[in-house]
Amino acid sequence: DEIIMLRNLDIPDERADLKITLEHWLFCFYAGFYYNDLKRLTWDDVKNSDLGYYIMGNRYKNGRDYLSPIHKFQHAVEIINRRKGIHPTLIFPDAISEQKYNDKLKELIGLTNIKKNLMNKTARHSFI
């Protein structure tokens, strides 16, 4: 319910920064990423199979390989498709520092009725 609430959050048009932050957080949730993994994600990491998109790469934290079947989440596929053509290499070239990202997540949660703390690690932990 909280993920649906976040997806449907009405963010004022003048706060494009919060819209981007929310898109980043949701993608981290769908892919099981930490924010540092999102910041490094390249188009070469995104693969297409008969089922749809998946991501194959290695984790920033420990260098271990991972496989993330994002095709299972239509919203993740929509995010990837919206990102095409923004940058030739990086999928999320507009990623900011982790501290600023967490500050913006606090602003986002203030626009909801959710009483939980929203931060970088919450997306991956919620996914798992």
Side-chain angles (χ1 to χ4, degrees):
D1 290 342
E2 292 166 340
I3 297 300
I4 292 168
M5 186 185 303
L6 285 168
R7 272 190 28 210
N8 295 328
L9 186 60
D10 188 24
I11 300 171
D13 289 337
E14 64 270 8
R15 292 306 309 267
D17 60 323
L18 292 183
K19 289 180 181 188
I20 290 168
T21 299
L22 179 57
E23 183 172 79
H24 290 183
W25 190 90
L26 286 169
F27 194 83
C28 286
F29 167 74
Y30 296 128
F33 282 176
Y34 286 126
Y35 190 60
N36 281 327
D37 293 324
L38 176 124
K39 288 167 62 171
R40 300 171 0 126
L41 191 62
T42 68
W43 289 108
D44 288 341
D45 298 328
V46 177
K47 313 295 182 195
N48 204 351
S49 72
D50 293 341
L51 298 174
Y53 292 124
Y54 65 96
I55 298 172
M56 194 165 66
N58 56 45
R59 296 271 326 278
Y60 172 79
K61 182 177 179 179
N62 57 22
R64 291 192 177 160
D65 292 340
Y66 66 86
L67 181 69
S68 180
I70 60 170
H71 62 81
K72 293 182 176 190
F73 302 101
Q74 183 58 36
H75 193 231
V77 173
E78 292 168 7
I79 291 170
I80 284 290
N81 287 333
R82 275 197 305 270
R83 293 263 157 191
K84 289 180 179 174
I86 293 175
H87 191 273
T89 308
L90 295 173
I91 297 174
F92 298 95
D94 47 4
I96 55 180
S97 74
E98 194 169 324
Q99 179 60 49
K100 287 182 182 179
Y101 177 67
N102 283 328
D103 290 344
K104 290 184 186 296
L105 289 173
K106 287 178 186 173
E107 283 188 71
L108 276 169
I109 207 70
L111 299 175
T112 72
N113 293 327
I114 299 171
K115 301 299 180 211
K116 296 177 182 171
N117 191 14
L118 192 64
M119 55 188 261
N120 166 27
K121 296 179 184 195
T122 313
R124 178 168 166 77
H125 294 180
S126 297
F127 169 85
I128 290 172

